[in-house]
Amino acid sequence: MLFMVEMQVNIPLGFDAEEGARLKLAEKMRFQELQAAGTWRHIWRVVGQYANVSVFDVESTSQLHDILMGLPLYPFMTIKVTPLCRHPSSMHEDDR
């Protein structure tokens, strides 16, 4: 199942800089694990914002929920999830 996930990160001003750096590094490491596994298929930065648009390939909505809630920066995120399905005109067979 494919999902477009829009994530806006809002770390409060004055948040501990060392803890923020630790969380960002942990987030990057988790992203790279999920990307290597093929779960986090795409990520694009939103220009001018601390935000991204991503495509996840998961087995279920529950799996996506667990992944998102387990992200280190989750407590600071506003998330919008949109289910996707393959467009009949797509030339890419892996757009399932």
Side-chain angles (χ1 to χ4, degrees), residues 40-68:
W40 199 324
R41 288 182 56 173
H42 303 282
I43 186 170
W44 294 273
R45 180 177 287 164
V46 177
V47 175
Q49 300 179 36
Y50 192 177
N52 72 74
V53 175
S54 295
V55 175
F56 285 80
D57 188 355
V58 294
E59 295 297 320
S60 67
T61 54
S62 295
Q63 181 189 16
L64 179 61
H65 178 79
D66 291 343
I67 288 169
L68 295 175

Side-chain angles (χ1 to χ4, degrees), residues 65-76:
H65 178 79
D66 291 343
I67 288 169
L68 295 175
M69 289 196 67
L71 293 174
L73 289 173
Y74 176 80
F76 306 104

